Amino acid sequence: MRAPVRSPDCMSSRSLDTLYIKTYGCQMNEYDSSRMADLMREAYGLRLVGRPEDADVILMNTCSVREKAEEKVYSELGRYRLIKDERPDLIIGVGGCVAQQEGERILKRAPFVDMVFGPQTYHRLPEMVNRIRRERVRLSETDMPEIEKFDHLPASGAAAHSAFVTIMEGCDKFCTFCVVPYTRGPEVSRPVADVLDECRSALAAGAVEITLLGQNVNGYLGPGPDGEEWDFAMLLHAVAELEGLKRLRFTTSHPMEMSDGLIEAFAELDVLMPYLHLPVQSGSNRILKAMHRGHDRDQYLRIIERLRKACPEIALSSDFIVGFPGETDEDFEQTLELAREVGFDSAFCFKYSPRPGTPAARSEDDVPEPVKDARLQALLALMRESSRRAHARHVGHVEEVLVEKPSRAEGDMQGRTPDFKIVHFRGQARQAGQILPVRITEAYGQSLRGELVLA
Ligand code: SAH
Ligand code: SF4
Ligand code: F3S
């Protein structure tokens, strides 16, 4: 859908130099933002700046997965409006999942916004910016082309020790509480060769760790170089063989598609790190069914059992929603029980919030706020204890730590263990990107402390 509207402001065609991007939401949005920066650098030579006040183009990459998403966007836009009052040349774009859902409503409600674009159309940014400058129009691009976007992106310019590569877009699962299938569209997998190429360039630019991204990476089914469809386990095997790769991770996966091949990969592939984020949302069969998750409690527990058999040291994390419509004390008790039984290393816990356009939003949001709060607190308390125990288990062990960056404390560096725990230790900035042995001396709730083991 395209909707050119004449702009009330008079735009000059001053040169564009600087870009500010504000990113909300999941890692896929982080990835998309870095690709937008690549695109705008290639098209206009735009340089990223850290403050919106210094930018000629401001892009917001929005998320609508949980409550108050729309309000947050409009309030942030209020800030940008003040900047635009001073500098009418400023170009403001709103992209991402709120943009996909709100579309032209954003142009109406915020008349100083120049363009609105969805997660599948941001490759058209340079063309949109061109038209805005040339024709003084305001644009909305929220159609969902079959991931043509990846064919129109320049090579990634980000050089990092740890690189992210999106392997698939969208989601076909339609959990009843979730907006993602509506904002991101159907599941579409990138061809194997494209994924491998992008991984190779990240490795050539110095990455040692790669994280494969998608809303349901294990639903991957992409055209392989042999003309066959490759599933996620096959893709993992191919990525694992790339020269220079030391660590491989992926997120997020869905319990429904934990194939034998994928579970075995944790045993077979040395570079595949022993960590898995596997959202369960609830421990109650009744609620899982109402959520349309496609599995029950026992099926989830059996997957965990098989994973631990294949890879005994695997760390597990999850997502939970409390206060889904109709959730009783008994349902919630089963969630606590499941969490206790699995003993997750970490978890993200959310209060249910109805999202516009989702099936669950048609049911009454009938769990009172104080009850949601109390359930959230109870689950968080259980998770804190579970996480503390998981961290404490590392004390006294020597861990291979991928050094990431200086930590906040002067003279300290921070990195990650294979099972994704944060470790702080005395170190030097030049060690970033190296994998070094660290003896763990102390455990905190969310991190570890250790000392470098000198050769
Ligand atoms: N694709 C991933 C999850 C993506 S959204 C998966 O299925 O595992 C990330 C998390 O946000 C979800 O796992 C869920 O716990 C939470 N979430 C999504 N919609 C929500 C809603 N309406 N209210 C509260 N939490 C929600
Ligand atoms: Fe949302 Fe469910 Fe898809 Fe995850 S699997 S993105 S929770 S619909
Ligand atoms: Fe949010 Fe969209 Fe990601 S809704 S979680 S930014 S897919």
Side-chain angles (χ1 to χ4, degrees), residues 307-314:
L307 278 162
R308 285 189 163 144
K309 208 158 156 206
C311 179
E313 72 277 23
I314 198 162

Side-chain angles (χ1 to χ4, degrees), residues 55-69:
D56 299 321
V57 179
I58 295 178
L59 299 178
M60 263 179 108
N61 197 5
T62 60
C63 168
S64 54
V65 83
R66 281 177 295 273
E67 60 186 336
K68 303 210 180 81

Side-chain angles (χ1 to χ4, degrees), residues 65-66 177 215 252 279 281 293 319 321 350-351 353 355:
V65 83
R66 281 177 295 273
F177 53 81
Q215 282 301 351
T252 304
Q281 317 298 357
R293 288 290 289 180
D319 291 347
I321 296 177
F350 308 104
K351 284 191 283 185
S353 67
R355 305 307 304 137

Side-chain angles (χ1 to χ4, degrees), residues 17-229:
D17 295 320
T18 48
L19 170 67
Y20 174 79
I21 306 184
K22 172 88 182 172
T23 309
Y24 298 89
C26 61
Q27 280 165 315
M28 306 197 58
N29 259 19
E30 297 283 345
Y31 172 90
D32 287 343
S33 289
S34 77
R35 303 317 306 274
M36 288 177 204
D38 291 337
L39 258 176
M40 298 299 269
R41 190 184 52 246
E42 174 140 313
Y44 289 105
L46 291 194
R47 171 170 62 79
L48 275 178
V49 290
R51 301 186 331 146
E53 290 80 4
D54 299 331
D56 299 321
V57 179
I58 295 178
L59 299 178
M60 263 179 108
N61 197 5
T62 60
C63 168
S64 54
V65 83
R66 281 177 295 273
E67 60 186 336
K68 303 210 180 81
E70 299 77 23
E71 286 90 307
K72 262 191 257 167
V73 170
Y74 287 110
S75 95
E76 182 74 10
L77 279 174
R79 258 182 87 197
Y80 302 157
R81 171 191 210 136
L82 301 177
I83 308 175
K84 191 152 178 167
D85 285 345
E86 302 284 311
R87 285 192 289 120
D89 280 347
L90 176 65
I91 294 177
I92 300 177
V94 182
C97 292
V98 174
Q100 185 66 40
Q101 281 209 305
E102 290 278 291
E104 287 170 39
R105 275 199 294 273
I106 297 178
L107 291 182
K108 290 209 183 83
R109 210 172 130 179
F112 50 94
V113 168
D114 300 288
M115 56 183 174
V116 173
F117 53 96
Q120 311 305 0
T121 44
Y122 67 79
H123 56 289
R124 298 184 193 150
L125 268 174
E127 175 197 325
M128 292 172 84
V129 169
N130 249 336
R131 287 195 58 202
I132 288 165
R133 302 180 81 213
R134 221 178 34 231
E135 304 166 33
R136 297 185 203 151
V137 286
R138 302 172 68 221
L139 298 171
S140 168
E141 294 254 13
T142 51
D143 54 346
M144 287 201 186
E146 273 262 304
I147 53 172
E148 61 175 50
K149 80 176 178 201
F150 292 106
D151 299 334
H152 293 87
L153 294 173
S156 170
H161 308 303
S162 186
F164 294 86
V165 175
T166 291
I167 63 165
M168 66 179 304
E169 273 293 331
C171 180
D172 291 341
K173 302 290 181 291
F174 290 92
C175 302
T176 53
F177 53 81
C178 184
V179 287
V180 172
Y182 311 97
T183 62
R184 293 254 166 193
E187 285 177 11
V188 188
S189 300
R190 296 177 69 186
V192 173
D194 291 10
V195 172
L196 294 179
D197 278 350
E198 195 169 322
C199 292
R200 275 192 209 98
S201 4
L203 294 169
V208 290
E209 176 174 82
I210 288 179
T211 305
L212 304 177
L213 295 180
Q215 282 301 351
N216 287 299
V217 282
N218 50 343
Y220 180 90
L221 204 59
D226 52 2
E228 303 286 319
E229 292 280 295

